[in-house]
């Protein structure tokens, strides 16, 4: 029993009973270890763990045997910092070091083995992560009038060019607004669902990608072009060149 015992009519530390017998030879333990004991006087236990110095129930030879053999922890140098956990925006970096000599016999414990600090991801394609995608079901015509374009604003005439290569984007929906219940196609959008969105080339801007296809692994935002107030967020899981999404499919506007 670890604690206070009655010794000679006085309430004293347990060491008053066990100090006279019991040996820690070959029995030293680090930290607090209630199993690290040997028989003491009057059927009591004396302890050989480092914690016994606080509870006063060390065996009589603890200091001469265990403290003399104590070995403190030793660690190696810090490793390099990892890359930023976020490709765009706020993230964190981490580094670590290894234990070269573990503590023994109540020696000094090991210091922190890991460190973390903040960082700001600046991937070259971070601009794509700031774009907001406008989506429609594949059943809509490609020449659908964009409701975000101001009335009377004429699009500049563009010389005829061959269409840009198409590709499919696969996204995991992370948030879907309540107003998306307004139409049948947008009611199929719900959190954690994977959707396929087809890009048929942004011929109006001659960009190599459709606006809003985001960056793989990054959370970006989308709006439904035909449902007022229907919007949400998703995470791009991958792109596939020259493909066609299986129905029910979506398209970038």
């Amino acid at each position: 029993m670890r604690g206070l015992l009655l010794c000679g009519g006085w309430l004293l530390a347990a060491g008053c009973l066990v100090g006279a017998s019991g040996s820690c030879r070959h029995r030293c333990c680090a930290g607090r270890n209630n199993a690290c004991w040997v028989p003491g006087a009057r059927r009591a236990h004396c302890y050989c763990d480092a914690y016994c110095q606080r509870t006063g129930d060390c065996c009589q030879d603890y200091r001469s045997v265990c403290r003399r053999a104590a070995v403190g922890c030793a660690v190696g140098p810090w490793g390099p910092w990892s890359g930023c956990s976020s490709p765009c925006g706020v993230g964190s970096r981490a580094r670590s070091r290894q234990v070269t000599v573990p503590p023994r016999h109540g020696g000094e414990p090991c210091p922190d083995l890991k460190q973390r600090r903040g960082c700001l991801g600046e991937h070259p394609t971070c601009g794509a992560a700031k774009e907001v995608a406008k989506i429609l079901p594949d059943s809509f015509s490609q020449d659908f009038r964009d409701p975000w374009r101001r009335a009377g604003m004429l699009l500049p005439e563009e010389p005829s060019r061959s269409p840009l290569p198409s590709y499919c984007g696969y996204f995991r929906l992370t948030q879907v607004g309540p107003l998306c219940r307004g139409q049948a196609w947008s009611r199929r959008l719900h959190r954690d669902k994977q959707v396929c969105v087809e890009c048929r080339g942004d011929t109006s801007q001659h960009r190599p990608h459709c606006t809003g296809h985001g960056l793989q692994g990054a959370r970006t935002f989308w709006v439904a072009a035909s449902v007022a107030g229907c919007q949400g967020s998703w995470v791009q899981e991958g792109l596939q060149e020259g493909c066609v999404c299986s129905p029910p499919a979506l398209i970038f506007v």
Side-chain angles (χ1 to χ4, degrees):
M1 174 179 178
R2 309 197 73 160
L4 300 179
L5 298 176
L6 188 64
C7 180
W10 295 89
L11 195 62
L12 300 174
C16 66
L17 286 178
V18 301
S21 64
S23 175
C24 288
R25 186 169 299 176
H26 309 302
R27 190 64 177 152
C28 300
C29 305
R32 180 172 184 172
N33 187 343
N34 289 342
C36 190
W37 60 270
V38 295
R42 301 182 185 180
R43 298 182 181 180
H45 295 165
C46 67
Y47 289 82
C48 301
D49 59 349
Y51 194 74
C52 73
Q53 298 178 95
R54 298 181 60 180
T55 53
D57 50 7
C58 297
C59 295
Q60 62 179 359
D61 61 352
Y62 171 79
R63 287 188 174 275
S64 60
V65 174
C66 296
R67 295 304 296 172
R68 181 181 299 176
V71 176
C73 179
V75 296
W78 287 106
W81 288 101
S82 67
C84 193
S85 61
S86 174
C88 301
V90 178
S92 63
R93 299 179 186 273
R95 67 175 182 175
S96 62
R97 55 184 175 181
Q98 303 296 320
V99 174
T100 56
V101 179
R104 295 194 298 272
H105 309 313
E108 288 296 322
C110 295
D112 291 338
L113 300 178
K114 293 183 179 182
Q115 285 185 341
R116 190 177 299 274
R117 69 181 183 186
C119 61
L120 187 65
E122 297 180 343
H123 193 276
T125 58
C126 282
K130 299 177 182 178
E131 299 172 346
V132 177
K134 299 173 186 176
I135 59 174
L136 284 172
D138 188 42
S139 57
F140 276 71
S141 172
Q142 277 188 271
D143 61 354
F144 172 79
R145 177 179 291 274
D146 187 348
W148 275 264
R149 185 166 60 87
R150 293 183 180 181
M153 185 176 71
L154 299 178
L155 293 175
E157 293 185 2
E158 298 285 348
S160 59
R161 295 190 180 186
S162 59
L164 296 175
S166 65
Y167 60 88
C168 298
Y170 298 93
F171 302 85
R172 182 73 58 180
L173 296 172
T174 56
Q175 184 180 2
V176 178
L179 296 180
C180 293
R181 302 187 185 98
Q183 290 191 17
W185 74 269
S186 57
R187 282 196 293 271
R188 294 196 300 265
L189 304 176
H190 55 81
R191 187 175 179 179
D192 292 330
K193 180 180 180 179
Q194 187 191 62
V195 295
C196 179
V197 188
E198 187 177 340
C199 175
R200 295 170 178 170
D202 191 349
T203 55
S204 63
Q205 299 294 330
H206 302 295
R207 295 177 180 175
H209 70 272
C210 287
T211 300
H213 81 182
L215 182 66
Q216 186 166 4
R219 178 172 174 260
T220 55
F221 299 91
W222 55 268
V223 296
S226 65
V227 186
C230 176
Q231 57 190 353
S233 61
W234 57 20
V235 174
Q236 188 214 108
E237 296 185 335
L239 301 176
Q240 182 179 350
E241 296 290 340
C243 79
V244 176
C245 293
S246 301
L250 302 173
I251 59 172
F252 287 102
V253 176

